[in-house]
């Protein structure tokens, strides 16, 4: 196929295929030679300016740039004609970029160069057997990750190597940190949110060399920070929580953290998770709300809330879809690729679905994730263009499969894609078209055309820790749960903490000075710190010996 033939194919696909016609101007590209196409005048306007793709009317019509775009919700100044194709989905940015580059190159009839073969692979980030909850990259090489081991790690070479910048080691009697989210405004300034009472936010002023607990938070600050949106070094928003028995709240700083303001969100939501702001005034937060007097995860429906006044007032942009939403579903992560195209993952223990907008969030459509494995309990969502994207998360109501799914048609159909990574909670991408991406789950994964480094071989296969005899999930039943560990020689302090699947602290099982070295079994009687027996479910164990942490998932069943 030549590049000219590929341009014709893109235009055919834009209207539904080579057998479909379109009104007004017709399928003017069909049956033309390259020279005829270059010389075309459509509705009195030259189609192309050879060598200048950006000013060619074809490119401007596809992008909706003046004089085109009169039919868009926010038309550009001077627009008098519709975007192309009128009344249909916009052409993906990658395809428009292909056409523009072809024109820039002089409209040659040379063969299409095969694009690089992108694939997902694990990086050398530490494996957190619960998961790495969040990642933030300033550019394709420099990034940070936070995980269930209470660790913040940093890479400067695209994930080939990572250094530990922060490792939680609280004094006796103090609850350890469970990191949930992270965001950097610059190479020096950043924040990390946690699910831990009294330690909900940390910040750095030196690129992560030191992380310090933020102590000046207001009384109405969220009791757990599930989402962070770092707009600039001065403006940061935070949202939470995912616990329906706690008030949903938000907070922000507009002066780089010198002061914070916070407010209650119960008018608009009962649970809040992720947020995304494009300016100090305009942004989004996603979660769920119920009409019942007592909110639970089983009676909420999704909300996608938009503010245009910095958080004072909000509008639920999916209010019109409430009849379509099942009970027990809520928004988890939000991604915008550009001003128009956005996605929200919908968490639901029994099903999988996403929301998609192509008009900047004015309207949204719910798309079911219909892959053969019937992926459910979704959290992460990430698209590289309007058609190609992935979802990941826990995979099912029992938090067992940790599965992922892929779509190539904008969410209409899906395939099983478990090879890309497990338990994915966040995707982030760079470039337009995308040239590299990252995802956080069991570890940090990279979307790249580069070959995998040889050192990654150690990531695969059964995993054994330095402290835990196995890092693989453990299935357990009965009243006494036993987890084998090995205590290193000369350990001065050993701690063992247990969280539930939502990151709420359940039990301090061990806090021991000068523990006996060697093999031992950790035994849990299924009680929390209040002495109450917990119901079966999914639990995260963190074992720490002198600042060295390891985590393991324990699935407690009633059998």
């Amino acid at each position: 196929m030549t590049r000219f033939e590929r341009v014709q194919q893109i235009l055919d696909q834009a209207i539904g295929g080579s057998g479909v016609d379109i009104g007004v101007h017709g399928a003017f590209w069909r049956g033309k030679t390259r020279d005829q196409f270059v010389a075309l005048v459509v509705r009195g306007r030259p189609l192309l300016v050879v060598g200048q793709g950006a000013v060619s009317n074809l490119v401007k019509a596809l992008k909706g740039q003046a004089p085109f775009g009169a039919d868009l919700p926010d038309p550009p100044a001077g627009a008098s004609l519709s975007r192309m194709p009128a009344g249909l989905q916009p052409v993906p940015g990658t395809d428009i970029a292909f056409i523009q580059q072809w024109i820039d190159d002089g409209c040659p009839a040379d063969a299409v160069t095969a694009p690089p073969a992108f694939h997902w692979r694990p990086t050398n980030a530490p494996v957190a057997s619960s998961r790495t909850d969040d990642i933030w990259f300033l550019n394709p090489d420099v990034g940070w990750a936070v995980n269930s081991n209470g660790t913040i790690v940093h890479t400067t070479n695209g994930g080939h190597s990572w250094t530990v910048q922060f490792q939680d080691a609280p004094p006796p009697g103090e609850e350890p940190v469970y990191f949930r989210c992270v965001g950097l405004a610059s190479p020096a300034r950043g924040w990390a949110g946690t699910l831990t009472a009294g330690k909900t936010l940390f910040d750095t002023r030196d690129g992560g060399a030191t992380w310090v607990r933020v102590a000046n938070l207001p009384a109405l600050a969220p009791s757990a920070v599930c989402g962070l949106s770092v707009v600039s070094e001065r403006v940061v928003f935070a949202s939470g929580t995912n616990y329906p028995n706690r008030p949903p709240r938000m907070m922000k700083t507009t002066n780089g953290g010198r002061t914070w303001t916070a407010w209650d969100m119960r008018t608009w939501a009962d649970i809040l998770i992720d947020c995304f702001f494009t300016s100090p005034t305009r942004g989004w937060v996603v979660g769920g709300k119920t009409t019942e007097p007592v909110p639970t995860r089983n009676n909420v429906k999704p909300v996608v809330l938009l503010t245009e006044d910095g958080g004072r007032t909000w509008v639920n942009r999916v209010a019109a879809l409430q009849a379509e939403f099942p009970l027990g579903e809520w928004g988890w992560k939000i991604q915008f690729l550009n001003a128009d195209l956005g996605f929200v993952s919908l968490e639901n223990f029994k099903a999988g679905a996403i929301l998609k907008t192509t008009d900047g969030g004015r309207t949204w459509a719910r798309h079911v994730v219909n892959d053969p494995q019937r992926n459910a309990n979704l959290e992460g969502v990430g698209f590289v263009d309007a058609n190609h994207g992935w979802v990941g998360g826990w995979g099912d109501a029992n938090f067992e499969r940790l599965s992922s799914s892929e779509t190539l048609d904008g969410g209409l159909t899906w395939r099983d894609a478990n090879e890309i990574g497990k338990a994915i909670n966040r995707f982030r991408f760079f470039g337009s078209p995308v040239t590299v991406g990252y995802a956080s789950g069991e570890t940090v994964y990279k979307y790249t055309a580069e070959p995998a480094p040889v050192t990654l071989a150690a990531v695969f296969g059964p995993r054994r820790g330095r402290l835990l005899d196995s890092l693989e999930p453990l299935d357990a039943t009965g009243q006494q749960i036993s987890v084998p560990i090995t205590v290193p020689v000369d350990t001065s302090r050993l701690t063992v903490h247990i969280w539930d699947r939502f990151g709420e602290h359940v039990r301090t099982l061990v806090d021991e000075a000068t523990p006996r070295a060697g093999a031992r079994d950790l035994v849990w009687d299924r009680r929390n710190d209040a002495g109450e027996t917990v119901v079966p479910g999914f639990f995260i164990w963190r074992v720490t010996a002198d600042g060295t942490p390891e985590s393991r998932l324990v699935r407690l069943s009633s059998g």
Side-chain angles (χ1 to χ4, degrees):
M1 176 183 288
T2 67
R3 279 206 278 174
F4 170 57
E5 291 169 337
R6 173 58 183 147
V7 170
Q8 292 175 304
Q9 182 185 61
I10 290 170
L11 296 176
D12 272 337
Q13 291 171 340
I15 64 171
S18 58
V20 179
D21 204 353
I22 189 169
V24 185
H25 53 64
F28 55 79
W29 54 89
R30 291 185 189 150
K32 301 290 190 298
T33 66
R34 176 266 178 201
D35 291 345
Q36 290 171 331
F37 183 83
V38 168
L40 272 176
V41 176
V42 180
R43 300 187 70 189
R45 298 175 185 273
L47 186 66
L48 306 180
V49 179
V50 177
Q52 299 181 60
V55 301
S56 294
N57 282 313
L58 175 59
V59 172
K60 291 197 286 186
L62 294 172
K63 291 182 177 181
Q65 296 176 345
F68 306 93
D71 56 337
L72 298 178
D74 187 17
S80 59
L81 301 170
S82 296
R83 174 189 54 79
M84 178 182 171
L88 299 174
Q89 290 291 314
V91 174
T94 51
D95 288 343
I96 298 175
F98 180 91
I99 294 174
Q100 183 170 331
Q101 187 63 56
W102 175 70
I103 299 171
D104 287 342
D105 292 345
C107 304
D110 56 347
V112 173
T113 301
F118 281 85
H119 57 275
W120 287 98
R121 62 166 173 79
T123 71
N124 282 316
V127 174
S129 59
S130 169
R131 69 176 174 193
T132 296
D133 273 75
D134 203 7
I135 45 174
W136 183 270
F137 278 77
L138 288 174
N139 58 51
D141 292 322
V142 179
W144 290 259
V146 296
N147 67 28
S148 61
N149 293 340
T151 309
I152 300 176
V153 294
H154 177 50
T155 181
T156 58
N157 54 18
H160 182 68
S161 62
W162 299 77
T163 57
V164 174
Q165 289 191 326
F166 178 90
Q167 179 55 63
D168 182 44
E174 188 174 299
E175 183 180 335
V177 165
Y178 190 116
F179 284 110
R180 177 68 92 193
C181 49
V182 64
L184 277 289
S186 69
R189 195 78 173 99
W191 291 263
T194 89
L195 305 182
T196 309
K199 296 184 281 188
T200 53
L201 192 65
F202 286 71
D203 73 354
T204 180
R205 298 173 185 271
D206 54 15
T210 56
W211 289 88
V212 179
R213 181 178 67 87
V214 177
N216 64 333
L217 299 182
L220 284 180
S223 63
V225 174
C226 299
L228 273 177
S229 183
V230 179
V231 180
S232 67
E233 288 198 353
R234 295 183 61 80
V235 180
V236 181
F237 288 83
S239 53
T241 74
N242 181 37
Y243 306 119
N245 60 340
R246 304 186 193 178
R249 294 171 176 170
M250 293 193 70
M251 64 180 177
K252 69 176 180 179
T253 179
T254 58
N255 54 22
R258 289 202 308 274
T259 60
W260 294 79
T261 57
W263 59 94
D264 193 286
M265 290 287 290
R266 276 176 286 194
T267 300
W268 301 282
D270 290 301
I271 57 175
L272 290 177
I273 298 89
D274 201 21
C275 61
F276 172 72
F277 279 73
T278 57
S279 75
T281 56
R282 194 173 196 273
W284 303 85
V285 65
V286 299
K289 186 168 178 57
T290 183
T291 57
E292 299 294 325
V294 178
T296 70
R297 291 188 179 91
N298 295 323
N299 63 22
V300 296
K301 290 187 175 185
V303 294
V304 179
L305 303 174
L306 170 67
T307 182
E308 297 188 275
D309 56 15
R312 288 193 298 272
T313 60
W314 298 82
V315 176
N316 181 16
R317 299 307 307 180
V318 295
L321 299 180
Q322 291 305 298
E324 184 178 343
F325 292 137
L327 290 171
E329 184 168 280
W330 59 94
W332 186 265
K333 285 289 186 287
I334 184 167
Q335 177 206 23
F336 270 90
L337 276 177
N338 52 48
D340 295 319
L341 185 61
F343 303 88
V344 172
S345 59
L346 297 177
E347 183 155 23
N348 178 330
F349 295 151
K350 299 178 181 179
I354 66 167
L355 292 169
K356 179 180 179 180
T357 180
T358 58
D359 58 10
R362 290 177 176 83
T363 60
W364 297 79
R366 183 178 185 270
H367 296 297
V368 173
V369 176
N370 53 10
D371 56 352
Q373 68 189 340
R374 288 296 185 263
N375 201 358
N377 207 350
L378 304 181
E379 297 202 335
V381 60
F383 277 69
V384 294
D385 57 40
N387 295 312
H388 191 190
W390 299 266
V391 292
W394 299 115
D396 63 280
N398 296 321
F399 290 64
E400 292 179 348
R401 295 189 311 194
L402 315 182
S403 43
S404 301
S405 311
E406 180 182 32
T407 180
L408 297 174
D409 58 12
L412 299 179
T413 60
W414 297 79
R415 75 167 189 92
D416 300 352
N418 299 319
E419 73 280 359
I420 76 167
K422 293 183 176 182
I424 292 176
N425 190 47
R426 176 76 76 182
F427 293 86
R428 298 196 190 274
F429 296 100
F430 285 93
S432 181
V434 166
T435 56
V436 68
Y438 294 90
S440 59
E442 278 196 342
T443 184
V444 177
Y445 305 96
K446 186 173 185 178
Y447 183 64
T448 179
E450 301 169 353
V454 176
T455 51
L456 288 176
V459 173
F460 301 96
R463 298 170 295 150
R464 177 184 173 88
R466 295 175 57 194
L467 308 175
L468 287 155
D469 286 14
S470 173
L471 298 177
E472 300 297 329
L474 172 68
D475 292 307
T477 59
Q479 189 62 36
Q480 301 288 321
I481 311 303
S482 180
V483 175
I485 68 168
T486 300
V487 180
V489 174
D490 296 328
T491 296
S492 61
R493 185 176 173 221
L494 176 72
T495 62
V496 180
H497 292 271
I498 302 172
W499 287 265
D500 70 11
R501 60 191 180 185
F502 300 107
E504 190 155 21
H505 191 258
V506 172
R507 179 77 179 270
T508 300
L509 188 65
V510 175
D511 193 339
E512 189 176 319
T514 61
R516 176 180 55 83
R520 65 190 284 186
D521 286 334
L522 302 172
V523 179
W524 180 37
D525 60 4
R526 289 183 49 183
R527 297 185 184 277
N528 61 21
D529 282 333
E532 304 160 332
T533 299
V534 302
V535 298
F538 169 105
F539 297 89
I540 303 160
W541 290 47
R542 185 195 299 173
V543 179
T544 305
D546 290 345
T548 298
E550 288 179 353
S551 295
R552 187 176 188 184
L553 304 181
V554 175
R555 301 182 185 122
L556 176 59
S557 65
S558 55

